[in-house]
Short mmCIF file of all heavy atoms in Angstrom, two decimals:
data_model
loop_
_atom_site.label_atom_id
_atom_site.label_comp_id
_atom_site.label_asym_id
_atom_site.label_seq_id
_atom_site.Cartn_x
_atom_site.Cartn_y
_atom_site.Cartn_z
N MET A 1 0.87 -1.19 0.01
CA MET A 1 0.04 0.03 -0.01
C MET A 1 0.89 1.23 0.00
O MET A 1 2.00 1.20 0.52
CB MET A 1 -0.85 0.06 1.28
CG MET A 1 -1.78 -1.11 1.50
SD MET A 1 -3.25 -0.99 0.50
CE MET A 1 -4.12 0.33 1.35
N GLN A 2 0.34 2.31 -0.57
CA GLN A 2 1.07 3.60 -0.57
C GLN A 2 0.10 4.69 -0.15
O GLN A 2 -1.00 4.71 -0.65
CB GLN A 2 1.68 3.83 -1.97
CG GLN A 2 2.56 5.11 -1.98
CD GLN A 2 3.77 4.86 -2.80
OE1 GLN A 2 3.81 4.10 -3.71
NE2 GLN A 2 4.81 5.53 -2.42
N THR A 3 0.62 5.66 0.58
CA THR A 3 -0.26 6.77 0.91
C THR A 3 0.65 7.98 0.95
O THR A 3 1.89 7.94 1.07
CB THR A 3 -1.02 6.65 2.26
OG1 THR A 3 -1.94 7.61 2.39
CG2 THR A 3 -0.10 6.65 3.49
N THR A 4 0.02 9.20 0.91
CA THR A 4 0.76 10.41 1.08
C THR A 4 0.14 11.18 2.25
O THR A 4 -1.04 11.50 2.26
CB THR A 4 0.69 11.27 -0.20
OG1 THR A 4 1.26 10.46 -1.29
CG2 THR A 4 1.46 12.56 -0.07
N LEU A 5 0.98 11.45 3.21
CA LEU A 5 0.58 12.22 4.34
C LEU A 5 0.91 13.67 4.11
O LEU A 5 1.94 14.07 3.58
CB LEU A 5 1.35 11.77 5.64
CG LEU A 5 1.15 10.31 6.07
CD1 LEU A 5 2.06 10.06 7.25
CD2 LEU A 5 -0.30 10.01 6.35
N ASP A 6 0.03 14.58 4.54
CA ASP A 6 0.30 16.01 4.44
C ASP A 6 0.77 16.54 5.80
O ASP A 6 -0.06 16.63 6.72
CB ASP A 6 -0.99 16.76 4.03
CG ASP A 6 -0.82 18.22 3.71
OD1 ASP A 6 0.33 18.67 3.75
OD2 ASP A 6 -1.85 18.85 3.40
N VAL A 7 2.00 16.76 5.98
CA VAL A 7 2.64 17.15 7.22
C VAL A 7 2.97 18.56 7.29
O VAL A 7 3.66 19.09 6.40
CB VAL A 7 3.87 16.30 7.56
CG1 VAL A 7 4.48 16.62 8.89
CG2 VAL A 7 3.55 14.74 7.50
N GLN A 8 2.47 19.23 8.36
CA GLN A 8 2.73 20.72 8.50
C GLN A 8 3.84 20.92 9.56
O GLN A 8 3.81 20.20 10.54
CB GLN A 8 1.44 21.41 8.93
CG GLN A 8 0.50 21.53 7.74
CD GLN A 8 -0.73 22.39 8.10
OE1 GLN A 8 -0.99 22.61 9.32
NE2 GLN A 8 -1.39 22.83 7.09
N GLY A 9 4.67 21.91 9.41
CA GLY A 9 5.57 22.27 10.41
C GLY A 9 7.02 21.82 10.14
O GLY A 9 7.93 22.23 10.89
N MET A 10 7.30 21.13 9.04
CA MET A 10 8.66 20.77 8.74
C MET A 10 9.30 21.93 8.08
O MET A 10 8.84 22.41 7.10
CB MET A 10 8.70 19.53 7.85
CG MET A 10 8.13 18.23 8.47
SD MET A 10 8.34 16.83 7.37
CE MET A 10 7.36 17.23 5.96
N THR A 11 10.48 22.34 8.58
CA THR A 11 11.12 23.47 8.00
C THR A 11 12.54 23.21 7.47
O THR A 11 13.16 23.99 6.81
CB THR A 11 11.20 24.65 9.01
OG1 THR A 11 11.83 24.19 10.19
CG2 THR A 11 9.82 25.13 9.35
N CYS A 12 13.14 22.17 7.98
CA CYS A 12 14.49 21.89 7.60
C CYS A 12 14.86 20.42 7.53
O CYS A 12 14.02 19.57 7.81
CB CYS A 12 15.51 22.58 8.61
SG CYS A 12 15.35 21.84 10.25
N GLU A 13 16.07 20.08 7.27
CA GLU A 13 16.50 18.74 7.12
C GLU A 13 16.34 17.92 8.40
O GLU A 13 16.13 16.70 8.43
CB GLU A 13 18.01 18.72 6.68
CG GLU A 13 18.20 18.10 5.35
CD GLU A 13 19.61 18.29 4.87
OE1 GLU A 13 20.46 17.56 5.45
OE2 GLU A 13 19.93 19.07 3.97
N ASN A 14 16.47 18.65 9.58
CA ASN A 14 16.38 17.97 10.82
C ASN A 14 14.92 17.52 11.04
O ASN A 14 14.67 16.40 11.55
CB ASN A 14 16.79 18.96 11.88
CG ASN A 14 16.81 18.32 13.30
OD1 ASN A 14 17.28 17.17 13.42
ND2 ASN A 14 16.33 19.06 14.25
N CYS A 15 13.99 18.34 10.61
CA CYS A 15 12.57 17.97 10.68
C CYS A 15 12.31 16.80 9.78
O CYS A 15 11.63 15.81 10.17
CB CYS A 15 11.69 19.13 10.17
SG CYS A 15 11.85 20.63 11.13
N GLU A 16 12.90 16.85 8.56
CA GLU A 16 12.70 15.74 7.67
C GLU A 16 13.18 14.43 8.21
O GLU A 16 12.48 13.41 8.17
CB GLU A 16 13.51 16.10 6.38
CG GLU A 16 13.49 15.02 5.35
CD GLU A 16 14.15 15.41 4.03
OE1 GLU A 16 14.32 16.62 3.75
OE2 GLU A 16 14.56 14.51 3.32
N THR A 17 14.34 14.45 8.85
CA THR A 17 14.89 13.24 9.48
C THR A 17 14.04 12.77 10.62
O THR A 17 13.81 11.57 10.74
CB THR A 17 16.34 13.54 10.03
OG1 THR A 17 17.12 14.02 8.90
CG2 THR A 17 16.99 12.31 10.61
N LYS A 18 13.55 13.65 11.46
CA LYS A 18 12.70 13.24 12.57
C LYS A 18 11.47 12.54 12.10
O LYS A 18 10.99 11.48 12.72
CB LYS A 18 12.34 14.46 13.49
CG LYS A 18 13.45 14.80 14.40
CD LYS A 18 12.95 15.65 15.60
CE LYS A 18 12.82 17.10 15.20
NZ LYS A 18 12.39 17.95 16.32
N VAL A 19 10.82 13.15 11.04
CA VAL A 19 9.55 12.56 10.57
C VAL A 19 9.82 11.18 9.95
O VAL A 19 9.08 10.25 10.13
CB VAL A 19 8.86 13.54 9.57
CG1 VAL A 19 7.78 12.89 8.84
CG2 VAL A 19 8.36 14.76 10.35
N LYS A 20 10.91 11.15 9.16
CA LYS A 20 11.25 9.92 8.50
C LYS A 20 11.52 8.78 9.47
O LYS A 20 11.01 7.72 9.34
CB LYS A 20 12.47 10.20 7.62
CG LYS A 20 12.83 9.13 6.59
CD LYS A 20 13.94 9.71 5.67
CE LYS A 20 14.71 8.61 5.00
NZ LYS A 20 14.00 7.75 4.10
N GLN A 21 12.29 9.16 10.52
CA GLN A 21 12.63 8.13 11.49
C GLN A 21 11.41 7.68 12.29
O GLN A 21 11.23 6.52 12.64
CB GLN A 21 13.73 8.66 12.45
CG GLN A 21 15.09 8.64 11.77
CD GLN A 21 16.17 9.23 12.65
OE1 GLN A 21 15.94 9.80 13.65
NE2 GLN A 21 17.42 9.02 12.22
N ALA A 22 10.48 8.63 12.61
CA ALA A 22 9.29 8.30 13.41
C ALA A 22 8.46 7.28 12.58
O ALA A 22 7.96 6.30 13.12
CB ALA A 22 8.47 9.55 13.63
N LEU A 23 8.37 7.55 11.28
CA LEU A 23 7.60 6.62 10.48
C LEU A 23 8.24 5.26 10.23
O LEU A 23 7.60 4.20 10.34
CB LEU A 23 7.20 7.27 9.14
CG LEU A 23 6.23 8.47 9.21
CD1 LEU A 23 6.21 9.23 7.94
CD2 LEU A 23 4.88 7.92 9.56
N GLU A 24 9.54 5.38 10.04
CA GLU A 24 10.27 4.11 9.78
C GLU A 24 10.37 3.20 10.97
O GLU A 24 10.58 1.99 10.90
CB GLU A 24 11.71 4.43 9.23
CG GLU A 24 11.71 4.87 7.82
CD GLU A 24 13.07 5.32 7.34
OE1 GLU A 24 13.96 5.60 8.15
OE2 GLU A 24 13.27 5.36 6.11
N SER A 25 10.15 3.78 12.24
CA SER A 25 10.19 3.01 13.42
C SER A 25 8.94 2.14 13.56
O SER A 25 8.89 1.26 14.42
CB SER A 25 10.38 3.88 14.61
OG SER A 25 9.19 4.59 14.90
N LEU A 26 7.96 2.42 12.80
CA LEU A 26 6.69 1.66 12.90
C LEU A 26 6.79 0.33 12.12
O LEU A 26 7.29 0.35 10.99
CB LEU A 26 5.48 2.46 12.32
CG LEU A 26 5.15 3.76 12.98
CD1 LEU A 26 4.06 4.49 12.19
CD2 LEU A 26 4.59 3.51 14.39
N GLU A 27 6.37 -0.70 12.81
CA GLU A 27 6.36 -2.02 12.13
C GLU A 27 5.38 -1.98 10.94
O GLU A 27 4.22 -1.58 11.10
CB GLU A 27 6.02 -3.10 13.11
CG GLU A 27 6.25 -4.47 12.61
CD GLU A 27 7.01 -5.34 13.64
OE1 GLU A 27 7.31 -4.83 14.71
OE2 GLU A 27 7.20 -6.51 13.34
N GLY A 28 5.81 -2.37 9.76
CA GLY A 28 4.97 -2.41 8.63
C GLY A 28 5.20 -1.27 7.64
O GLY A 28 4.76 -1.35 6.56
N VAL A 29 5.94 -0.30 8.07
CA VAL A 29 6.31 0.76 7.22
C VAL A 29 7.62 0.35 6.50
O VAL A 29 8.67 0.09 7.14
CB VAL A 29 6.55 2.19 7.91
CG1 VAL A 29 7.16 3.21 6.99
CG2 VAL A 29 5.18 2.63 8.50
N THR A 30 7.59 0.35 5.14
CA THR A 30 8.77 -0.14 4.46
C THR A 30 9.50 0.93 3.65
O THR A 30 10.59 0.77 3.15
CB THR A 30 8.33 -1.30 3.47
OG1 THR A 30 7.32 -0.84 2.62
CG2 THR A 30 7.87 -2.49 4.26
N GLY A 31 8.86 2.10 3.43
CA GLY A 31 9.44 3.16 2.69
C GLY A 31 8.88 4.52 3.08
O GLY A 31 7.66 4.65 3.21
N VAL A 32 9.74 5.49 3.19
CA VAL A 32 9.30 6.89 3.49
C VAL A 32 10.08 7.83 2.65
O VAL A 32 11.33 7.79 2.55
CB VAL A 32 9.55 7.26 5.00
CG1 VAL A 32 9.07 8.60 5.30
CG2 VAL A 32 8.85 6.20 5.92
N GLU A 33 9.31 8.71 1.98
CA GLU A 33 10.01 9.78 1.20
C GLU A 33 9.39 11.10 1.59
O GLU A 33 8.20 11.26 1.40
CB GLU A 33 9.91 9.48 -0.26
CG GLU A 33 10.83 10.34 -1.02
CD GLU A 33 10.92 9.98 -2.54
OE1 GLU A 33 10.53 8.87 -2.89
OE2 GLU A 33 11.31 10.81 -3.37
N VAL A 34 10.19 11.96 2.12
CA VAL A 34 9.76 13.26 2.57
C VAL A 34 10.05 14.34 1.50
O VAL A 34 11.13 14.47 1.02
CB VAL A 34 10.46 13.71 3.91
CG1 VAL A 34 9.96 15.10 4.36
CG2 VAL A 34 10.15 12.68 4.92
N HIS A 35 9.02 15.13 1.17
CA HIS A 35 9.24 16.27 0.19
C HIS A 35 9.11 17.48 1.09
O HIS A 35 7.99 17.95 1.39
CB HIS A 35 8.18 16.20 -0.86
CG HIS A 35 8.19 14.87 -1.63
ND1 HIS A 35 9.04 14.62 -2.63
CD2 HIS A 35 7.49 13.85 -1.50
CE1 HIS A 35 8.81 13.42 -3.10
NE2 HIS A 35 7.87 12.88 -2.39
N ILE A 36 10.18 18.00 1.50
CA ILE A 36 10.22 19.06 2.49
C ILE A 36 9.53 20.38 1.95
O ILE A 36 8.87 21.11 2.74
CB ILE A 36 11.63 19.33 2.94
CG1 ILE A 36 11.70 20.30 4.12
CG2 ILE A 36 12.57 19.88 1.82
CD1 ILE A 36 11.45 19.59 5.49
N ASN A 37 9.64 20.65 0.69
CA ASN A 37 9.05 21.82 0.11
C ASN A 37 7.58 21.86 0.16
O ASN A 37 6.95 22.95 0.41
CB ASN A 37 9.52 22.06 -1.34
CG ASN A 37 11.04 22.30 -1.39
OD1 ASN A 37 11.61 22.86 -0.40
ND2 ASN A 37 11.63 21.92 -2.48
N THR A 38 6.89 20.75 -0.04
CA THR A 38 5.49 20.66 -0.10
C THR A 38 4.91 20.13 1.23
O THR A 38 3.74 20.30 1.44
CB THR A 38 4.97 19.79 -1.20
OG1 THR A 38 5.56 18.48 -1.04
CG2 THR A 38 5.41 20.35 -2.53
N GLY A 39 5.68 19.49 2.07
CA GLY A 39 5.21 18.86 3.24
C GLY A 39 4.54 17.51 3.02
O GLY A 39 3.98 16.93 3.90
N SER A 40 4.60 17.02 1.75
CA SER A 40 4.03 15.75 1.53
C SER A 40 5.08 14.63 1.80
O SER A 40 6.23 14.74 1.59
CB SER A 40 3.45 15.60 0.10
OG SER A 40 4.47 15.84 -0.84
N VAL A 41 4.52 13.53 2.38
CA VAL A 41 5.35 12.45 2.77
C VAL A 41 4.73 11.17 2.22
O VAL A 41 3.66 10.78 2.59
CB VAL A 41 5.38 12.33 4.36
CG1 VAL A 41 6.30 11.13 4.77
CG2 VAL A 41 5.98 13.60 4.94
N ASP A 42 5.48 10.56 1.30
CA ASP A 42 5.01 9.34 0.66
C ASP A 42 5.46 8.18 1.53
O ASP A 42 6.62 8.00 1.89
CB ASP A 42 5.64 9.17 -0.71
CG ASP A 42 5.23 10.33 -1.62
OD1 ASP A 42 4.15 10.85 -1.47
OD2 ASP A 42 6.08 10.65 -2.51
N VAL A 43 4.49 7.34 1.92
CA VAL A 43 4.75 6.20 2.77
C VAL A 43 4.34 4.93 2.09
O VAL A 43 3.17 4.82 1.59
CB VAL A 43 4.00 6.35 4.11
CG1 VAL A 43 4.40 5.17 5.03
CG2 VAL A 43 4.24 7.66 4.77
N THR A 44 5.25 3.97 2.02
CA THR A 44 4.91 2.59 1.61
C THR A 44 4.73 1.73 2.81
O THR A 44 5.61 1.74 3.68
CB THR A 44 6.02 2.05 0.66
OG1 THR A 44 6.29 3.09 -0.33
CG2 THR A 44 5.57 0.80 0.00
N TYR A 45 3.64 0.94 2.88
CA TYR A 45 3.40 0.23 4.13
C TYR A 45 2.57 -0.98 3.89
O TYR A 45 1.93 -1.16 2.80
CB TYR A 45 2.65 1.11 5.13
CG TYR A 45 1.29 1.54 4.72
CD1 TYR A 45 0.16 0.99 5.30
CD2 TYR A 45 1.11 2.59 3.79
CE1 TYR A 45 -1.09 1.39 4.95
CE2 TYR A 45 -0.17 2.97 3.41
CZ TYR A 45 -1.30 2.35 4.02
OH TYR A 45 -2.50 2.73 3.61
N ASP A 46 2.52 -1.84 4.82
CA ASP A 46 1.72 -3.06 4.85
C ASP A 46 0.44 -2.77 5.72
O ASP A 46 0.56 -2.63 6.93
CB ASP A 46 2.51 -4.26 5.36
CG ASP A 46 1.68 -5.49 5.44
OD1 ASP A 46 0.44 -5.43 5.18
OD2 ASP A 46 2.23 -6.56 5.79
N ASN A 47 -0.67 -2.68 5.15
CA ASN A 47 -1.86 -2.35 5.92
C ASN A 47 -2.38 -3.36 6.90
O ASN A 47 -3.32 -3.15 7.69
CB ASN A 47 -3.01 -1.75 5.02
CG ASN A 47 -3.57 -2.83 4.11
OD1 ASN A 47 -3.00 -3.90 3.94
ND2 ASN A 47 -4.79 -2.60 3.57
N ALA A 48 -1.75 -4.54 6.85
CA ALA A 48 -2.06 -5.58 7.79
C ALA A 48 -1.29 -5.35 9.12
O ALA A 48 -1.59 -5.88 10.17
CB ALA A 48 -1.70 -6.93 7.26
N GLN A 49 -0.25 -4.50 9.03
CA GLN A 49 0.65 -4.26 10.16
C GLN A 49 0.52 -2.88 10.80
O GLN A 49 0.83 -2.68 11.97
CB GLN A 49 2.09 -4.49 9.77
CG GLN A 49 2.40 -5.94 9.53
CD GLN A 49 3.89 -6.15 9.29
OE1 GLN A 49 4.39 -5.79 8.23
NE2 GLN A 49 4.57 -6.65 10.27
N VAL A 50 0.14 -1.94 10.01
CA VAL A 50 0.07 -0.52 10.52
C VAL A 50 -1.06 0.26 9.84
O VAL A 50 -1.38 -0.03 8.74
CB VAL A 50 1.53 0.15 10.22
CG1 VAL A 50 1.79 0.27 8.69
CG2 VAL A 50 1.70 1.45 10.90
N THR A 51 -1.57 1.19 10.61
CA THR A 51 -2.72 2.02 10.09
C THR A 51 -2.15 3.39 9.85
O THR A 51 -1.17 3.88 10.42
CB THR A 51 -3.87 2.04 11.09
OG1 THR A 51 -3.40 2.71 12.29
CG2 THR A 51 -4.33 0.68 11.42
N ILE A 52 -2.95 4.18 9.11
CA ILE A 52 -2.61 5.57 8.87
C ILE A 52 -2.76 6.36 10.19
O ILE A 52 -1.97 7.29 10.43
CB ILE A 52 -3.53 6.16 7.75
CG1 ILE A 52 -3.09 5.54 6.39
CG2 ILE A 52 -3.48 7.68 7.71
CD1 ILE A 52 -3.94 5.94 5.20
N GLY A 53 -3.70 5.96 11.02
CA GLY A 53 -3.79 6.58 12.34
C GLY A 53 -2.60 6.43 13.18
O GLY A 53 -2.15 7.40 13.83
N GLU A 54 -1.90 5.34 13.13
CA GLU A 54 -0.69 5.08 13.85
C GLU A 54 0.44 5.93 13.28
O GLU A 54 1.29 6.49 14.00
CB GLU A 54 -0.35 3.62 13.83
CG GLU A 54 -1.19 2.77 14.74
CD GLU A 54 -1.06 1.30 14.48
OE1 GLU A 54 -0.68 0.84 13.41
OE2 GLU A 54 -1.33 0.49 15.41
N MET A 55 0.43 6.08 12.00
CA MET A 55 1.48 6.94 11.32
C MET A 55 1.27 8.36 11.77
O MET A 55 2.29 9.08 12.10
CB MET A 55 1.32 6.88 9.82
CG MET A 55 1.63 5.56 9.20
SD MET A 55 1.26 5.66 7.44
CE MET A 55 1.00 3.96 7.01
N ARG A 56 0.05 8.78 11.74
CA ARG A 56 -0.30 10.14 12.14
C ARG A 56 0.15 10.46 13.58
O ARG A 56 0.81 11.45 13.89
CB ARG A 56 -1.86 10.33 12.01
CG ARG A 56 -2.21 11.71 12.23
CD ARG A 56 -3.75 11.83 12.19
NE ARG A 56 -4.15 13.15 12.56
CZ ARG A 56 -5.36 13.54 12.68
NH1 ARG A 56 -6.34 12.77 12.44
NH2 ARG A 56 -5.60 14.82 12.99
N LYS A 57 -0.13 9.47 14.53
CA LYS A 57 0.24 9.65 15.85
C LYS A 57 1.71 9.74 16.01
O LYS A 57 2.28 10.59 16.72
CB LYS A 57 -0.33 8.40 16.62
CG LYS A 57 -0.24 8.52 18.15
CD LYS A 57 -1.11 7.47 18.79
CE LYS A 57 -0.95 7.46 20.25
NZ LYS A 57 0.16 6.53 20.73
N ALA A 58 2.45 8.91 15.30
CA ALA A 58 3.95 8.88 15.42
C ALA A 58 4.50 10.21 14.94
O ALA A 58 5.41 10.76 15.55
CB ALA A 58 4.51 7.73 14.58
N VAL A 59 3.98 10.83 13.93
CA VAL A 59 4.45 12.08 13.42
C VAL A 59 4.03 13.20 14.37
O VAL A 59 4.88 14.11 14.69
CB VAL A 59 3.87 12.40 11.98
CG1 VAL A 59 4.25 13.79 11.56
CG2 VAL A 59 4.44 11.41 11.01
N GLU A 60 2.86 13.16 14.88
CA GLU A 60 2.41 14.21 15.79
C GLU A 60 3.15 14.19 17.13
O GLU A 60 3.35 15.24 17.70
CB GLU A 60 0.86 14.15 15.93
CG GLU A 60 0.20 14.56 14.61
CD GLU A 60 -1.31 14.76 14.69
OE1 GLU A 60 -1.94 14.17 15.56
OE2 GLU A 60 -1.77 15.48 13.85
N GLU A 61 3.58 13.04 17.57
CA GLU A 61 4.37 12.88 18.78
C GLU A 61 5.72 13.57 18.61
O GLU A 61 6.35 13.93 19.61
CB GLU A 61 4.61 11.40 19.14
CG GLU A 61 3.41 10.83 19.92
CD GLU A 61 3.52 9.35 20.08
OE1 GLU A 61 4.46 8.72 19.63
OE2 GLU A 61 2.56 8.78 20.77
N LYS A 62 6.19 13.79 17.37
CA LYS A 62 7.41 14.49 17.12
C LYS A 62 7.21 16.02 17.05
O LYS A 62 8.13 16.77 16.84
CB LYS A 62 8.10 14.00 15.88
CG LYS A 62 8.54 12.58 15.96
CD LYS A 62 9.56 12.33 16.97
CE LYS A 62 9.85 10.78 17.16
NZ LYS A 62 10.72 10.55 18.27
N GLY A 63 5.90 16.41 17.12
CA GLY A 63 5.68 17.86 17.16
C GLY A 63 5.17 18.42 15.81
O GLY A 63 5.13 19.63 15.68
N TYR A 64 4.81 17.49 14.88
CA TYR A 64 4.31 18.03 13.59
C TYR A 64 2.82 17.70 13.44
O TYR A 64 2.36 16.77 14.10
CB TYR A 64 5.17 17.46 12.47
CG TYR A 64 6.64 17.71 12.63
CD1 TYR A 64 7.44 16.81 13.23
CD2 TYR A 64 7.13 18.98 12.30
CE1 TYR A 64 8.75 17.08 13.44
CE2 TYR A 64 8.46 19.28 12.54
CZ TYR A 64 9.30 18.34 13.06
OH TYR A 64 10.60 18.58 13.30
N ARG A 65 2.20 18.41 12.59
CA ARG A 65 0.72 18.23 12.43
C ARG A 65 0.53 17.48 11.14
O ARG A 65 1.15 17.79 10.03
CB ARG A 65 0.10 19.61 12.39
CG ARG A 65 -1.38 19.53 12.59
CD ARG A 65 -1.91 20.96 12.79
NE ARG A 65 -3.05 21.22 11.98
CZ ARG A 65 -4.24 20.68 12.17
NH1 ARG A 65 -4.42 19.79 13.16
NH2 ARG A 65 -5.30 20.88 11.36
N VAL A 66 -0.36 16.51 11.16
CA VAL A 66 -0.72 15.79 9.98
C VAL A 66 -2.19 16.24 9.56
O VAL A 66 -3.13 16.12 10.40
CB VAL A 66 -0.71 14.23 10.17
CG1 VAL A 66 -1.15 13.52 8.91
CG2 VAL A 66 0.64 13.82 10.63
N VAL A 67 -2.33 16.77 8.42
CA VAL A 67 -3.61 17.23 7.90
C VAL A 67 -4.27 16.02 7.26
O VAL A 67 -3.71 15.44 6.37
CB VAL A 67 -3.43 18.41 6.95
CG1 VAL A 67 -4.85 18.92 6.52
CG2 VAL A 67 -2.70 19.56 7.59
N VAL A 68 -5.50 15.79 7.57
CA VAL A 68 -6.18 14.69 7.01
C VAL A 68 -7.31 15.14 6.10
O VAL A 68 -7.95 16.14 6.42
CB VAL A 68 -6.83 13.75 8.09
CG1 VAL A 68 -7.54 12.55 7.45
CG2 VAL A 68 -5.79 13.24 9.02
CU1 LIG B 101 13.60 21.54 11.25
#
């Protein structure tokens, strides 16, 4: 499965790394690509192992907002 999250608040490479690591730490997430300019984050995942809600929570715990 593939989805694109709309993440607000990322301003630099450090933000990009934090969001990427937060998502990659979730079991079932196999790929993360952050587009810092637009705030879109492409996530490849196994929907039997992880939900979009869990991804959202992981990103928001790092201090960024996910627009649904
Ligand atoms: Cu930053």
